[in-house]
Amino acid sequence: TIPHRASVAFVGDSGSGKSTIVNLVTGLLSPSAGTMTLGGVDYRALDMESLRSGIGYVTQESVVFNDSVKNNLTLWDPDISEKRVEKGLKDARAFDFVNDMPEKLESLLGDHGMNISGGQRQRLTITRELLRDTPILILDEATSALDSETEQDVQANIERLSDDKTTIIIAHRLS
């Protein structure tokens, strides 16, 4: 049971079932025995497209498109204001490095984000999911490419912002 608006962490070695839990929660897998419910509704009765649109999912393999920083964050949604983008960047500790880029939000990231570091890619994908503002947020080794200080700051901001979210954290280490 994962209570509504709670933060839970699954910590364990590779192969211990952490990703299987994520695949069950997102509806990519069905349980081989028993049932799963969301708010008392059996998963088999849920509309999977609606379920998945309500889940923010940050993985350790950050997906970055060969486009501008802004489009990578907003996924081309014109309704997301620049002020909201800036707040998301600050919450994910990405504002300073984006602001230092030659074209700022219009800077191109290159194929698979080759123009930025792995930690920067991870912070941009965290920003993207914070901007989506979904009721469920899954962080699957989402801060693994960050240094300890940045990781702590990002985690504190996510914790502060996720008071009204159900947050599932997947990690290999307890920190």
Side-chain angles (χ1 to χ4, degrees):
T1 300
I2 300 174
H4 180 60
R5 294 185 176 160
S7 290
V8 297
F10 295 97
V11 180
D13 296 331
S14 298
S16 63
K18 300 180 304 292
S19 294
T20 300
I21 290 170
V22 169
N23 289 334
L24 287 165
V25 169
T26 58
L28 295 173
L29 288 177
S30 297
S32 57
T35 59
M36 281 187 55
T37 61
L38 178 64
V41 178
D42 191 300
Y43 257 58
R44 294 173 291 202
L46 294 175
D47 175 68
M48 285 296 124
E49 187 174 332
S50 293
L51 170 72
R52 292 178 187 135
S53 70
I55 298 174
Y57 187 22
V58 181
T59 67
Q60 61 185 330
E61 292 97 23
S62 305
V63 177
V64 177
F65 305 102
N66 186 10
D67 207 326
S68 69
V69 171
K70 182 178 179 182
N71 285 339
N72 269 276
L73 298 177
T74 64
L75 296 176
W76 302 272
D77 183 345
D79 294 331
I80 299 177
S81 70
E82 192 164 319
K83 184 176 180 178
R84 194 166 146 213
V85 168
E86 286 181 11
K87 182 184 179 323
L89 286 166
K90 288 176 182 174
D91 289 335
R93 290 277 313 269
F95 181 80
D96 288 341
F97 87 79
V98 169
N99 211 34
D100 288 342
M101 295 175 84
E103 302 295 324
K104 300 183 181 1
L105 286 173
E106 296 306 320
S107 295
L108 297 178
L109 298 178
D111 286 331
H112 306 290
M114 65 184 254
N115 295 336
I116 56 176
S117 73
Q120 290 170 329
R121 282 192 298 274
Q122 220 164 33
R123 285 182 276 166
L124 290 181
T125 57
I126 291 168
T127 303
R128 179 190 303 149
E129 294 309 319
L130 292 175
L131 290 174
R132 289 188 59 230
D133 196 25
T134 56
I136 299 172
L137 180 61
I138 299 173
L139 304 169
D140 189 353
E141 292 290 334
T143 57
S144 62
L146 304 180
D147 62 83
S148 296
E149 182 181 336
T150 302
E151 179 181 32
Q152 288 176 348
D153 286 347
V154 170
Q155 286 175 343
N157 285 337
I158 289 171
E159 190 173 318
R160 180 180 52 79
L161 295 167
S162 57
D163 284 343
D164 63 340
K165 297 180 184 307
T166 302
T167 307
I168 300 170
I169 303 163
I170 306 295
H172 286 107
R173 61 185 196 275
L174 194 54
S175 66

